[in-house]
Amino acid sequence: MKAVSKEVYDRIDNDVYNVVADKWWSDETTLIMLQTSINPLRVGYSKRKLLQELKITPRGKTALEVGCGGGILTEEIARMGFTTTGIDPSEGSLETARGHAKQSGLEIGYDFGTGEALPYPNVSFDVVFCCDVLEHVRDLPKVIEEIARVLKPGGAFVFDTFNRTFISKLVAIEIWQEWKRWAFMPPSLHVWDMFVTPAELKETLQEKGLHLKEFQGSKPSVSLLTMLSYLRKRATGQWNFRQLGEKFRLV
């Protein structure tokens, strides 16, 4: 797998994370759905895999989240018991993350940087998380290479991303971003051509020295028609983003 071309990368709007940097925890922005709609799935999955199956004891272990944004997942990682660090290229998002962690009584280190050039020594972390990020980066192979470099021997890499399929194009791009009757995500937040197939990701992981343990798919907790009715309630002002996320989750 190669880095994304400039032509494709220029179509994605990663600057949105700077524009809404102070609103990560607001009920009135899409970002809060990371907490309400997505975290229950990925945090539960991570705990089951890391703590129960791999028998990792968080106390005394280090964890890094690459692309931490405002800290919505980072705080959950810290609550698992890991000594936790988050890194992100949006300074505004990091300021929000630091402030919210302080309010929550959590000790989390937040650093400025990108996944392509992690500012940490080799074998620094027991666990690395990279969620909702791989489909945003220009050079995915380099990001994976850097994650492999900072992982300790026997460490674990936890990730999620979008699969590049017809269904993901219909739902994540057209319904969620483009069709105004239902859309709840900003335009150009995601670009379908930057989605990653399991085969591509498996090949890249292996090339960078990581052993794939498992892929696990996800889907909305409700039918397509029910999801559309929920999205319409949000679009017409009957629900805010938190209420939408509490009704519509990934499973």
Side-chain angles (χ1 to χ4, degrees), residues 180-193:
K180 293 184 179 180
R181 181 175 179 82
W182 299 290
F184 67 95
M185 289 184 174
S188 301
L189 178 66
H190 294 111
V191 170
W192 185 76
D193 291 331

Side-chain angles (χ1 to χ4, degrees), residues 64 87 114-125 128 141-153 208-210:
L64 171 69
I87 186 168
T114 68
E116 289 91 345
L118 296 175
Y120 308 110
N122 297 346
V123 298
S124 299
F125 297 95
V128 176
K142 183 60 177 177
V143 172
I144 300 297
E145 180 179 291
E146 279 290 275
I147 288 170
R149 179 183 65 78
V150 302
L151 265 178
K152 294 180 181 179
K208 304 306 179 183
L210 297 174

Side-chain angles (χ1 to χ4, degrees), residues 13-27:
D13 182 16
N14 283 329
D15 191 55
V16 68
Y17 298 107
N18 293 314
V19 174
V20 298
D22 61 338
K23 297 181 173 63
W24 278 88
W25 298 87
S26 169
D27 292 352

